[in-house]
Amino acid sequence: MIAKQQQIQHLYQRAGFGLRPDELAKKEGSSIPKLVEELFRDSEKVSQLGFISDPLKGRSDKEVKDLKLAVLFVKSFQQLQKLNLHWMDKMATDPGQLRERMTFFWHNHFATHVKISWLMQVQNNTLRKHALGNFRKMLHAIAKDPAMLIYLNNQQNTKKAPNENFAREVMELFTLGEGKYTEQDIKESARAFTGWKTNRRGQYEFNRKQHDFGEKTFMGKKGNFSGEEIIDMILDKPECAEFITRKVYQYFVNPIVDEKIVKKLAKEFYKSDYDISTLLLNIFLSDWFYEEKNRGCLIKSPVELIVSYKRLLDIEMRNERFLLQNQRLLGQMLFNPPNVAGWPHATEWIDSSSLMIRMRLPGIIFGMDEFDIEVDPEYESMGVEDNKVWVPKRQKAHANWRPILKHFRNVPTKDLAEAIVNSLILSPKDRIDLKAMRDFADNNDRESLIKTLFIRCMALPEFQSC
C-alpha cells in the first residue's frame, strides 16, 4: 500500500507545484480529503496579475491611435518578459496553488500569443478567474477575449469574406476534437462569428455591419444562430465534456488514458454542467488517482520544473533573464506557445540534450556549474546576442535555506541523503546511488552537506518526473 507521505507528495505535485520537506511533514497528520478541501479553500480567492497598467486608464480616447499602438508594440516585448517572471513568482509563492496550476493548464489549452502585453495579461486574468469555475462560462469569455480574436484572425471574419480559423479551432482544439464535426459545420459557424471584433480600446465589440444574420445549418439544425448559440450547441454535446475530461486526465493523472474512468468522469462533468471543481474533486478524491501506475509517470514541463526550484528554495536570481533564457532553452516560454495547439506534454519534454541541461540546471543556479550555449530566437527580429545563454559560475542565486536546514537538523548524517531523496523524489528510488550522492557532496560542514545533497537531488533524473 502506498505510504501516506507519497500520497501527499503526489497530490501536491499534481494539484500544485510541490511541497518543501517541512511543509510535507506538517501535512502528514491530515487526511487526503482534508488536504483536498484545503487546496480548494486556499484557491477560493482570485488574485489577479496586475503588473501591467491599463494603457487607456484615465484617458478619454475612444480608440488607440496608430502612434499609441506603435508605442504599445515597442513596449510589449519587455513587458511580456516581466509579466512572464511575475507569473512564475506567483506560481511559486501564491497560496492558491491549485488555481495557479489550473490557470497554467488553461493557458496551454487556449494557447494564444499576441504582441500586445496588456491583452495577454487580460486573457491570463480571465483564465485565472474561471480556472476552477464553470467551463461553459470560461468558453464564452475566451471566445470574446480580445487577444484570442486577434490571434485566430477573427478580426478578418466578415460577412463578405468569412475567415474560418477561429471557428475551426473552437471545435478542433477547444471543445470537441478532430472528427466530431464537418467542414460544413466550420463554414456555418464561422458565419455566426462574423463581426466579433477587438476594438481599438482592446475590448470585445460586436460589429453588426459585418455580421451575417442569415440562416445557418449547424450540426444538422437550421436557424439564425448567433456565435453564442453556436457555442452552447457545442457544449450540449457530451463529446465536449469527454474531450475536456480526457485532456484534464492526461495532464493530472496519466498520459495513458483509462477510457472507462474518463467516460465516468466525463459523464459527471457533463451532468454538473461543466463544473471544473467537480471534475477535479472526482479525480483527487479517487483511490485510483494514487495508484502506483499514476505516480511519477509525468515529466515536469520546463515551467513546472523552474517553478518547483523557486518554490522549494524561494530562489531569486541575481539576473532574472537567466530564467527566461532557460524557458527558451528547454522549449516552453510563458505567453509564447509554439502554435495554437500549445506545448507538448508527458514524456515529450525529455530528450538526450534537454535531460543533460535539466540535470545541470541546479548546479548552474547555485554557481557550481556554468555553460555557454545558443538558443532559438524568441522572435525572428532578435539579434545573435539575444540568443546566447552564457552563465558564468558567479551567476549565483539567493535561496532561503533556513527551513531546509532546520527540517534536517536532527537527521543523522549517515541518513541525510536518503531523507532528502525521500522528501523530494516520488518515482521509484531503487536506482538512485545514495553513496555517489554522499561522495560528491560537500562534507566540510553539516550545512554545506545538506545544501549540496539537496542540490544533487534536484539534479537527479528522477526529480524530472512527478
Side-chain angles (χ1 to χ4, degrees), residues 11 15 32-41 98 102 132 248 252 265 268-269 275-290:
L11 174 63
I32 291 297
K34 194 84 177 172
L35 293 174
V36 171
E37 182 184 337
E38 185 178 296
L39 273 165
F40 278 88
R41 188 173 60 246
L98 179 57
M102 280 307 289
L132 296 170
V248 168
F252 283 100
L265 288 169
E268 290 296 317
F269 186 41
D275 184 71
I276 298 163
S277 290
T278 296
L279 175 59
L280 294 176
L281 280 168
N282 284 339
I283 291 173
F284 298 147
L285 293 175
S286 297
D287 290 340
W288 49 256
F289 176 67
Y290 301 92

Side-chain angles (χ1 to χ4, degrees), residues 44-60:
E44 283 178 358
K45 184 180 176 183
V46 183
S47 169
Q48 303 284 33
L49 277 179
F51 170 73
I52 303 171
S53 302
D54 182 347
L56 292 182
K57 187 177 181 181
R59 295 173 66 102
S60 58

Side-chain angles (χ1 to χ4, degrees), residues 84-294:
N84 178 318
L85 295 169
H86 199 67
W87 189 17
M88 287 195 79
D89 276 343
K90 187 171 175 59
M91 287 186 203
T93 60
D94 198 290
Q97 285 286 285
L98 179 57
R99 185 171 293 277
E100 289 310 310
R101 185 76 183 206
M102 280 307 289
T103 304
F104 183 52
F105 171 81
W106 295 120
H107 179 66
N108 191 32
H109 182 74
F110 294 111
T112 309
H113 173 68
V114 294
K115 294 178 181 178
I116 302 178
S117 54
W118 164 248
L119 296 185
M120 293 307 298
Q121 181 176 279
V122 168
Q123 186 190 77
N124 189 266
N125 283 332
T126 299
L127 295 175
R128 183 170 290 101
K129 176 184 175 183
H130 297 284
L132 296 170
N134 184 278
F135 181 73
R136 180 184 296 277
K137 291 181 180 176
M138 176 188 277
L139 184 61
H140 275 282
I142 287 297
K144 293 180 178 177
D145 174 71
M148 180 63 79
L149 291 172
I150 293 172
Y151 184 58
L152 292 183
N153 310 111
N154 218 62
Q155 295 291 90
Q156 292 80 44
N157 189 15
T158 64
K159 181 180 178 179
K160 288 185 178 177
N163 185 304
E164 298 167 4
N165 197 24
F166 176 73
R168 181 185 298 278
E169 304 307 359
V170 165
M171 285 184 277
E172 180 178 329
L173 296 174
F174 301 162
T175 59
L176 296 172
E178 286 184 277
K180 301 293 171 52
Y181 52 87
T182 66
E183 283 299 310
Q184 186 65 19
D185 290 330
I186 294 171
K187 292 180 186 300
E188 294 293 277
S189 57
R191 291 174 56 209
F193 292 122
T194 50
W196 286 34
K197 303 286 183 187
T198 297
N199 65 21
R200 283 282 187 129
R201 290 188 65 84
Q203 299 165 337
Y204 166 77
E205 185 174 273
F206 179 62
N207 188 327
R208 295 181 64 83
K209 292 180 181 176
Q210 295 181 354
H211 183 68
D212 184 343
F213 286 96
E215 184 179 79
K216 304 156 187 89
T217 302
F218 181 69
M219 294 188 171
K221 296 180 180 178
K222 287 189 176 183
N224 179 19
F225 301 126
S226 65
E228 291 90 344
E229 288 171 319
I230 291 290
I231 290 172
D232 281 332
M233 290 167 75
I234 292 171
L235 289 163
D236 284 344
K237 296 180 77 66
E239 290 91 338
C240 176
E242 192 167 319
F243 178 77
I244 299 299
T245 301
R246 178 171 284 101
K247 198 162 181 180
V248 168
Y249 182 94
Q250 289 178 306
Y251 182 77
F252 283 100
V253 183
N254 196 317
I256 300 171
V257 172
D258 185 320
E259 292 294 342
K260 190 177 175 182
I261 289 176
V262 165
K263 286 187 184 304
K264 187 179 177 185
L265 288 169
K267 193 175 178 181
E268 290 296 317
F269 186 41
Y270 186 74
K271 190 178 169 184
S272 72
D273 193 24
Y274 292 97
D275 184 71
I276 298 163
S277 290
T278 296
L279 175 59
L280 294 176
L281 280 168
N282 284 339
I283 291 173
F284 298 147
L285 293 175
S286 297
D287 290 340
W288 49 256
F289 176 67
Y290 301 92
E291 289 177 357
E292 186 175 352
K293 65 179 181 182
N294 294 326

